[in-house]
Amino acid sequence: MFIPAITSRPSVSQSLVKELRNDVCPRRIYGAYVLGLPTVPTDSQLRGIYFEYKLTGSCGKSGIPPIEPLQKTGKRYVDFERLDGQAQFIREELFPYYGIEILDTDVVIATEFTHPDTDEIVTVKCRLDVLARVNNKLAVIDIKATGDVANGGWRNPIGLDHTQAYFYMWALYQSKELNSEGVMPEFYYVVADWSPRSDYEVIKVEWNNGSFWEVRHAATEAFDKMKSMEEQGFPAKPSYQQCQSCPFQHSCADKKQFKEVKVIW
């Protein structure tokens, strides 16, 4: 499902915000977020894409079902077998227990606000894994897969970056097409563990009085950084790790072929 964004203006997504909070290469940002070229997913991301497909049937941005990697012998990796079991458990048992009803998957929505300093229009674009009702309340479900629920931060959700949840809740709240009731939707992370523990977490993120200001600050900051990068011509600032997933990894003359020296103290 797709609700058109205002394509003539730069759009800011939660993933772009997350990227720009780190020391990123502007050329990589240009390829991924301006030209919309596909990045190379990490092994962990591949598992996440596969799990979302098995759980919801959504093919994501590509529209193509993910291809499961196989061992040289042709056998399946045990991680993917565990993800199959987790998807079945969550779909058939966990969702009914929590009252989760899937309405749609891979929903793209956009909304906008006025830049507080320049009066420019900032467009916020979000791609929701699952649009749902939870106990008959409108909600966003974000699907995550990890190899370590216990030690990966999901057991201490107060320390997680809530920007994604706030972006999605606010965008859906603004959408007259999807939110005719005009209510603030709920937001849940559903996290599955592909380790032998087959653990899981369901985490609800609450909207609060400062949530909108966090959305506006994060989106405005990303908007300004993108304008600055554009003014500089999106120069290369490569690093070995970023180059591994860059859309230009096979054509960029500035690509880092070797890892940087680690500095310890």
Side-chain angles (χ1 to χ4, degrees):
M1 179 177 188
F2 180 73
I3 298 173
I6 303 173
T7 55
S8 61
R9 296 171 184 154
S11 62
V12 175
S13 65
Q14 171 269 335
S15 59
L16 175 60
V17 167
K18 188 174 181 180
E19 289 258 37
L20 293 178
R21 283 176 171 173
N22 298 313
D23 189 23
V24 296
C25 174
R27 187 174 297 170
R28 181 181 181 279
I29 293 293
Y30 175 71
Y33 292 95
V34 178
L35 299 181
L37 301 175
T39 56
V40 181
T42 63
D43 288 345
S44 180
Q45 288 172 333
L46 281 173
R47 288 172 171 81
I49 293 168
Y50 175 84
F51 178 66
E52 183 181 343
Y53 172 69
K54 297 298 289 188
L55 179 58
T56 69
S58 171
C59 298
K61 293 180 182 179
S62 69
I64 302 171
I67 298 174
E68 177 186 349
L70 299 175
Q71 299 182 48
K72 292 181 178 179
T73 60
K75 293 183 178 180
R76 302 183 69 198
Y77 286 100
V78 67
D79 292 353
F80 287 86
E81 294 178 351
R82 293 176 185 140
L83 286 173
D84 285 349
Q86 286 284 62
Q88 182 177 1
F89 166 71
I90 290 173
R91 183 176 58 253
E92 297 180 0
E93 299 188 44
L94 211 64
F95 277 5
Y97 176 80
Y98 286 106
I100 297 174
E101 174 193 1
I102 295 179
L103 301 178
D104 204 349
T105 60
D106 194 33
V107 180
V108 180
I109 54 179
T111 188
E112 59 186 30
F113 65 88
T114 303
H115 193 296
D117 299 321
T118 65
D119 290 334
E120 294 172 280
I121 299 298
V122 180
T123 301
V124 175
K125 184 178 178 182
C126 301
R127 182 180 293 270
L128 317 183
D129 288 349
V130 176
L131 178 68
R133 284 195 175 275
V134 179
N135 294 321
N136 208 34
K137 294 181 179 178
L138 190 66
V140 177
I141 307 293
D142 198 70
I143 308 298
K144 301 292 185 184
T146 176
D148 195 350
V149 162
N151 298 312
W154 294 105
R155 285 282 153 79
N156 183 26
I158 195 170
L160 298 176
D161 179 7
H162 294 166
T163 303
Q164 178 181 15
Y166 296 151
F167 261 60
Y168 290 8
M169 293 166 77
W170 182 68
L172 183 54
Y173 173 70
Q174 296 287 327
S175 174
K176 295 180 181 178
E177 294 89 345
L178 299 175
N179 187 9
S180 59
E181 303 163 8
V183 298
M184 181 59 68
E186 296 182 337
F187 182 97
Y188 295 85
Y189 284 113
V190 175
V191 191
D193 192 330
W194 69 67
S195 76
R197 291 183 296 274
S198 294
D199 207 346
Y200 67 89
E201 286 290 340
V202 179
I203 302 168
K204 181 180 181 181
V205 180
E206 295 278 9
W207 183 267
N208 61 66
N209 292 335
S211 298
F212 170 69
W213 301 109
E214 180 170 335
V215 170
R216 192 173 78 160
H217 171 74
T220 300
E221 183 179 54
F223 183 89
D224 292 342
K225 286 182 178 179
M226 286 292 285
K227 285 186 62 178
S228 176
M229 287 181 177
E230 182 179 17
E231 290 168 359
Q232 297 173 51
F234 292 100
K237 190 179 180 182
S239 69
Y240 177 82
Q241 189 64 37
Q242 291 187 75
C243 290
Q244 302 312 299
S245 61
C246 181
F248 300 127
Q249 63 170 288
H250 298 301
S251 60
C252 182
D254 296 302
K255 177 183 176 180
K256 290 284 187 179
Q257 301 285 351
F258 302 98
K259 294 181 179 180
E260 291 80 11
V261 174
K262 288 186 177 179
V263 179
I264 61 174
W265 58 91

